Amino acid sequence: MSREALLATLAESAQRTALLYGEQRCTYGELHAKVQQCLAWLVDQGIKPGDAVILNSDYGVSAVAALLAMYLNRNIVAPLVDLSERALLTLQGAARCQHRVEIVDDA
């Protein structure tokens, strides 16, 4: 899906359910807001298009929003699930990732 098609889907289907994960439910409108918030945060952190990023998180709505934001920001992403600090540092160095994003709480 192209960036433009993704943004159009998020905007045009605002009331429809986009994600269900456990007790979490998110409409396309809510997901769009989370993606825009993540995009703004990426820019604030100095994460530029083309930068390699490690995403360390549990599964959930916020992780999906972060992945979509990184896709829209044209980042190279290595999604990981709940690794130790030592493992993250090793992978970050080996993969030559400039940035690491951690999502701690999806509540």
Side-chain angles (χ1 to χ4, degrees):
M1 175 180 279
S2 72
R3 293 167 38 101
E4 294 74 20
L6 173 60
L7 288 170
T9 299
L10 291 171
E12 293 169 4
S13 305
Q15 298 305 314
R16 292 184 41 217
T17 299
L19 299 169
L20 291 172
Y21 182 75
E23 297 295 316
Q24 297 178 39
R25 178 187 173 277
C26 184
T27 65
Y28 280 100
E30 293 165 336
L31 182 59
H32 186 248
K34 286 179 181 280
V35 167
Q36 293 302 322
Q37 186 177 31
C38 286
L39 272 168
W41 184 86
L42 292 171
V43 170
D44 288 347
Q45 298 303 307
I47 299 174
K48 299 178 288 301
D51 283 354
V53 180
I54 287 178
L55 174 62
N56 185 41
S57 72
D58 290 331
Y59 298 107
V61 172
S62 291
V64 172
L67 280 169
L68 290 173
M70 290 174 193
Y71 167 74
L72 291 171
N73 199 43
R74 294 185 171 99
N75 294 118
I76 302 160
V77 183
L80 306 170
V81 178
D82 199 24
L83 292 181
S84 70
E85 181 68 18
R86 182 177 176 154
L88 282 168
L89 289 172
T90 300
L91 285 169
Q92 188 170 357
R96 298 177 192 228
C97 287
Q98 298 99 330
H99 306 280
R100 184 173 83 197
V101 173
E102 295 195 46
I103 297 175
V104 178
D105 183 23
D106 209 2

